[in-house]
Amino acid sequence: MDTEARAVAERFDRFAREEAPGRSEVYAAWARLVADDPELQAVFARIPARHRQPPLVFAVTRLLGLGSDDDGAAQDAAHWRDGVLARADTVVAECAQRSLQTNEPQRCAALLPALSRISGPIALLEIGASAGLCLYPDRYSYRYRAPGGVVALDPPDGVSEVVLECAVRGDRMPEVALPEIVWRAGIDLAPLDPRSRDTDAWLTGLVWPGEEGREERVRAALGIAASDPPLLVAGDGADLLADLAAQAPAGATLVVQTQGVLAHIPWAGRHALIDAARRAGRWITLDAPTLHEGWFTPVDVDGWPGGFALGLDGEVLAAADPLGAWIAVR
């Protein structure tokens, strides 16, 4: 086995063991097959390494209609394998031009406790914005549920088409309020137009089979974004941030969000982006606690309760599910 094929086998095996269980049995089965199948490994080894993450590869194959029946339901691993091998060149080419752009509006439930600490009006700018679905925290409804009660928030015009349920862990309910957002902008290497059918197909295709409610949530959020599209700019976040921030309206507090994007940037560039965000305005992030050195408050890794760290200007406010399903306020 050559080096690239071995790397494919190891990565898909890790995905099958550690990442897919509990989220998608379909993806777990497909990944196990790749880990044991030299022919599939040879195909995926042809994909550039930064474009061959299992969820990306699987989403591309589903976008191409491989591994799904006529109703769109995922087929078994053997059918999926046959389709991949039959269209190997197309799979490789399509993966090479795609990137993981998981645009999960549920993350706003984790970000809201930080946004709620910032007085409005707010100019919200996101790095790695994809289609900008996390730029609309004021347009969504929230239900923070703890054993002792529920905190419910709705936009002024009533319950949103996007209702974000978030479980509260621990004995502290987050203090939250809907922000006043007057400007929305984002930077992405390949931004997606929320009004496009291709964007709908790609973002809903990135939802793992078996994740109930997530496809509907993404599609509803796309409808909100399409009705009032944000300003989206293609390019590198650190390079473009200052110029884009200068376009924010006078009198608004600029807030830069970097949730979920720093892990995809090399170490030096990661910290350059953090520095640029701090120079531009307030900085909110949701990251693994050891991902960078941008925290001002110490993180007790040994005692960390799991999930990512929610930070405001480097202060760690809470632990949270990476996609916003739960939060534990410090």
Side-chain angles (χ1 to χ4, degrees), residues 165-288:
E165 298 275 352
C166 184
V168 177
R169 297 183 177 179
D171 55 4
R172 291 187 60 191
M173 184 72 80
E175 297 181 9
V176 289
L178 290 182
E180 179 190 0
I181 298 176
V182 296
W183 184 80
R184 310 167 206 271
I187 302 172
D188 197 281
L189 293 175
L192 302 175
D193 183 348
R195 299 164 294 186
S196 167
R197 290 184 179 180
D198 290 341
T199 296
D200 183 298
W202 178 236
L203 290 184
T204 56
L206 284 169
V207 175
W208 299 12
E211 292 186 312
E212 295 184 4
R214 191 171 173 192
E215 181 175 337
E216 293 80 5
R217 182 168 61 244
V218 168
R219 184 163 284 127
L222 278 169
I224 291 173
S227 69
D228 180 23
L231 171 61
L232 297 177
V233 179
D236 178 85
D239 292 343
L240 299 178
L241 199 160
D243 287 342
L244 185 56
Q247 299 181 39
T253 299
L254 185 78
V255 178
V256 180
Q257 295 183 164
T258 59
Q259 75 281 358
V261 69
L262 295 176
H264 302 287
I265 303 173
W267 184 259
R270 195 176 300 171
H271 289 87
L273 179 55
I274 291 172
D275 290 342
R278 284 182 166 142
R279 288 194 299 270
R282 308 294 300 271
W283 170 50
I284 292 175
T285 198
L286 185 65
D287 301 312

Side-chain angles (χ1 to χ4, degrees), residues 141-145 150-154 159 163-167:
S141 290
Y142 301 84
R143 303 291 183 264
Y144 292 91
R145 299 187 184 276
V150 178
V151 169
L153 291 175
D154 296 308
V159 179
V163 179
L164 306 179
E165 298 275 352
C166 184

